Every structure is written in C-alpha cells, then in structure tokens.
Amino acid sequence: LEGRPGEALEHHRAALEAEREDEDARLRVVEDLLEEGRPSDALELLEPLRRGVEPLDPLDPADRSAVVGLEARARRALGQRASALVLLRIEVAARPRDAIAWRGLGEHLLADGRRRAALRVLRRAVRLERSEPTPSAEALGGAPVGADGIRLLARALARNGRRKEAVAVLARA
C-alpha cells in the first residue's frame, strides 16, 4: 500500500472498524489522513487519545510521544505552527529520554527553517535512539528504529551546508 494513500487509508480504517480500541490502527489512520492532506480529520480521530477517553498502552510510554507528534504535524498543517511547537517542547520536557519526542521536535524545527536548532535536537534524538531504542516507530509501520532520525539528521546537516557529513551519517547507518 506504499505510495497509494487512498488504499492505505481504507485498509487502516477497516482495521480500526474491526477493533475500535486498537490504538495502533487509529494512529495509522491518522498518519494516512495527514498524508492525504486532511489534518482536521486527523485531529478529530486523535481527540479520544488526547483527552484520555481511550487510554494509551501504559506499557509503551512512547505512544504518548507518537500521539503528540501526530497532533503537532496536524496543527502545523493547519497553520498552527506555534501551538505545534509548544506541544513538542512540553513533550520533550516531560520525556527527556524519549527519542521519538526529540525527533518530532527536530522535524518541526527543520520544517520551520530553524536549521541549527533542528540539527542540535536531531543529534540528540539519534543518540537516544541508539542508546535506548523504542519500538514505537515500527509499531506505527515506520522504518526500523533509528532510521527516521538518521534521515532527518542527514537532511538537517545538508540544509546546514554540511553535505559530506550528511553522506557520512547515512553511510554509517
């Protein structure tokens, strides 16, 4: 379903309908909605998780960072950049050892053109991913743990005019 967002959305919606309390299915549908450019629908689907009506898995605290990251992406897509940044900074402060929280903040900073700040944050995210990998990226259907952070770090390095270092980071991955 890679590269076919409409089909992926329908597939993930069917999985969510089959199991209404499946938080992973809900998060995949939110990802699909964001990919389709439907951030308002994504926020609506996140609402029960954000308010705690449907609790997240207490055994996977990174789920909270994933939800916050998705909410921030939706808010950024709606033009609410400042509120997205506040959400991400609060999450990083609450979970300073959570690589997913740091990666979300770095991605936001990079999208806002704050290249140096993004570079510092993404370096930290990659260090954390290497020292304490979390399964959340894989649970969300993403790349293996660390790969997303490394790609973002390489992009930040390239945007800071450090292309050779970016290539070296990717080569070591």
Side-chain angles (χ1 to χ4, degrees):
L1 300 176
E2 185 81 21
R4 300 182 307 211
E7 289 180 47
L9 177 59
E10 291 310 313
H11 174 77
H12 292 141
R13 274 198 189 276
L16 183 57
E17 287 298 319
E19 186 60 51
R20 296 297 284 157
E21 295 180 16
D22 182 351
E23 66 198 45
D24 289 334
R26 180 179 300 272
L27 296 178
R28 282 190 298 273
V29 171
V30 168
E31 283 274 350
D32 295 340
L33 289 167
L34 290 170
E35 290 295 317
E36 286 199 348
R38 297 170 52 192
S40 295
D41 293 336
L43 281 176
E44 184 178 319
L45 200 55
L46 281 174
E47 187 63 26
L49 294 175
R50 290 173 42 233
R51 286 192 335 230
V53 173
E54 294 179 19
L56 295 168
D57 181 354
L59 298 178
D60 190 358
D63 276 356
R64 167 132 175 89
S65 292
V67 169
V68 169
L70 290 169
E71 180 180 356
R73 280 181 54 197
R75 292 197 179 284
R76 190 171 64 230
L78 290 168
Q80 301 170 5
R81 289 173 136 31
S83 67
L85 183 59
V86 168
L87 280 172
L88 293 165
R89 287 187 188 273
I90 289 170
E91 188 64 16
V92 164
R95 301 179 193 299
R97 306 272 320 141
D98 187 336
I100 292 173
W102 283 97
R103 190 174 64 222
L105 177 58
E107 182 178 18
H108 181 84
L109 292 168
L110 193 58
D112 271 358
R114 298 176 63 188
R115 298 181 313 226
R116 285 198 175 126
L119 188 55
R120 283 192 309 274
V121 167
L122 290 168
R123 282 187 192 281
R124 181 158 188 178
V126 168
R127 276 195 309 272
L128 287 168
E129 285 175 338
R130 288 181 175 155
S131 67
E132 296 182 26
T134 61
S136 296
E138 291 174 11
L140 290 172
V145 173
D148 290 336
I150 289 169
R151 279 193 297 268
L152 280 169
L153 175 58
R155 190 179 316 150
L157 285 163
R159 288 188 183 171
N160 276 286
R162 297 162 74 175
R163 288 177 179 32
K164 286 183 182 178
E165 193 175 347
V167 170
V169 164
L170 291 171
R172 284 192 308 262

